[in-house]
Amino acid sequence: MPDIRLTRIDNRLIHGQVATQWCGVVGANLILVANDAVAGDEFRQGLMNMAAPAYAQTRFFTIQKTIDIIHKASANQHIAIICETPQDVLKLVEGGVPIKKVNIGNMHMAEGKRQVATSVAVNDDDVATFRKLQELGVELEIKRVPDTPVENIDKLFK
């Protein structure tokens, strides 16, 4: 069983907050970005590698590759999975990745979305996806950074 310490939804993927705060707090030494676009984009990977802490390795896998190899992780790998969207997290869960809790950190405002929390904007598809994750037994948490209070998850469903 892979040691998944954090699964986070963040449009920015790896950046200062994830790299310096979350990974340290949860004890992650491997940041796995599960994102189809980034898996093939060496430029974006390079930028994210610059933001990653020196003690953590980074991997940039497609959703399918993550599903295929997560169970081969070493016991010494303490993993933080970062996804761009709730839909990607759902694909991982439905593919057998043992995700028990999802930290919803940052979902940018965009056309068709409504702001529901400090840094979270959702559309109807996002809401349906979060409901499906809950039905699958995944705990949801809205929390921007480790030292801020958890926001009420009911905000997602209004």
Side-chain angles (χ1 to χ4, degrees), residues 24-154:
V25 167
V26 301
N29 62 12
L30 173 65
I31 304 171
L32 192 167
V33 173
N35 181 277
D36 291 346
V38 172
D41 188 337
E42 290 184 19
F43 178 73
R44 283 183 70 191
Q45 290 176 23
L47 293 174
M48 287 185 235
N49 277 329
M50 287 189 279
Y55 61 81
Q57 296 181 320
T58 56
R59 298 288 183 273
F60 303 93
F61 293 161
T62 63
I63 299 299
Q64 190 58 53
K65 183 172 182 179
T66 302
I67 291 166
D68 292 344
I69 70 165
I70 192 81
H71 294 284
K72 296 176 185 173
S74 157
N76 295 333
Q77 291 176 314
H78 311 300
I79 305 166
I81 298 175
I82 312 300
C83 292
E84 189 172 23
T85 68
Q87 292 78 11
D88 284 348
V89 174
L90 179 60
K91 289 176 192 169
L92 293 175
V93 171
E94 290 177 335
V97 178
I99 294 170
K100 303 293 179 222
K101 181 176 182 177
V102 174
N103 168 268
I104 305 162
N106 196 63
M107 294 176 63
H108 291 309
M109 180 58 106
E111 190 171 328
K113 293 196 174 210
R114 60 196 174 276
Q115 197 79 32
V116 295
T118 305
S119 59
V120 179
V122 297
N123 61 26
D124 292 342
D125 184 43
D126 297 330
V127 172
T129 301
F130 284 128
R131 284 194 197 285
K132 178 72 173 164
L133 285 165
Q134 283 186 318
E135 289 167 13
L136 293 170
V138 177
E139 180 186 346
L140 303 176
E141 164 190 86
I142 300 173
K143 192 168 184 173
R144 219 167 32 87
V145 291
D147 60 357
T148 58
V150 174
E151 294 190 51
N152 187 339
I153 200 69
D154 293 338

